[in-house]
């Protein structure tokens, strides 16, 4: 199994999001081998449907670096990004996208609209999938299984 220390940090963020009652997805932005930002889903906490882990991490990284784009930065996220996040990753000029588990239902990279393969996409990151895949999928599965058990 492919594992990676930055992906492990993204999984820590995913678990922390789950503990806050959010869908457990986490993301980390890395530039020149250093973590610039790490975030989990915050949609419930902020009442903000755009507060997915990837968008939150990109916002934080741009804020920390004081710049609009993240040229040369890499993003690690536990689950295949959705259409909104795939677009945000493109707009931020992320160099490499690493994701854990595929998301056949909501993903937009290797599933769904395959955002980066569209002629309207002007910057596509290099994509690496399947990092810590089993663990990533397991965190989500456990979260939704526990939710179903609630009264
Ligand atoms: Zn998203």
């Amino acid at each position: 199994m492919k594992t990676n220390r930055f992906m492990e940090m993204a999984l820590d963020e995913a678990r922390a999001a789950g503990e806050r009652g959010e869908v457990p997805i986490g993301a980390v932005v890395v530039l020149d081998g250093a973590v610039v930002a790490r975030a989990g889903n915050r949609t419930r906490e902020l009442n903000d449907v755009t507060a997915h882990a990837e968008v939150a991490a990109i916002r934080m990284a741009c804020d920390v670096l004081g710049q609009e784009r993240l040229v040369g930065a890499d993003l690690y996220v536990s689950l295949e990004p959705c259409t909104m996040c795939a677009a945000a990753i493109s707009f931020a000029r992320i160099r490499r996208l690493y994701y854990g588990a595929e998301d056949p239902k909501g993903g937009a990279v290797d599933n769904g609209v395959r955002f980066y393969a569209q002629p309207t996409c002007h910057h596509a990151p290099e994509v690496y999938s399947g990092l810590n895949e089993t663990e990533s999928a397991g965190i989500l599965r456990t979260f939704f299984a526990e939710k179903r058990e609630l009264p």
Side-chain angles (χ1 to χ4, degrees):
M1 191 179 74
K2 285 183 278 182
T3 60
N4 173 283
R5 68 191 177 103
F6 295 124
M7 186 58 81
E8 273 153 26
M9 277 182 214
L11 293 175
D12 286 343
E13 289 295 329
R15 284 186 208 97
E19 280 159 23
R20 296 192 304 268
E22 308 276 355
V23 175
I25 298 167
V28 173
V29 175
V30 175
L31 180 64
D32 299 329
V35 175
V36 183
R38 45 191 292 178
N41 250 345
R42 293 197 176 271
T43 58
R44 293 187 63 186
E45 177 191 338
L46 301 176
N47 290 326
D48 178 359
V49 294
T50 70
H52 284 187
E54 300 94 312
V55 170
I58 287 170
R59 279 196 181 126
M60 196 182 293
C62 288
D63 192 42
V64 165
L65 298 169
Q67 57 192 47
E68 182 188 0
R69 297 195 177 95
L70 300 170
V71 176
D74 302 331
L75 187 137
Y76 294 77
V77 58
S78 55
L79 187 69
E80 180 183 355
C82 72
T83 310
M84 174 184 74
C85 292
I89 288 163
S90 170
F91 297 156
R93 302 289 188 269
I94 293 285
R95 178 179 64 169
R96 294 186 187 126
L97 164 65
Y98 298 85
Y99 76 79
E102 272 197 44
D103 183 6
K105 286 183 184 161
V109 176
D110 293 309
N111 290 282
V113 302
R114 293 180 165 79
F115 191 88
Y116 303 130
Q118 301 305 320
T120 48
C121 173
H122 305 301
H123 169 83
E126 291 171 37
V127 177
Y128 303 89
S129 60
L131 271 80
N132 301 65
E133 186 176 11
T134 312
E135 207 182 347
S136 172
I139 290 169
L140 279 158
R141 208 165 28 243
T142 306
F143 177 81
F144 286 112
E146 282 171 2
K147 262 194 117 87
R148 276 193 291 274
E149 285 164 17
L150 293 175

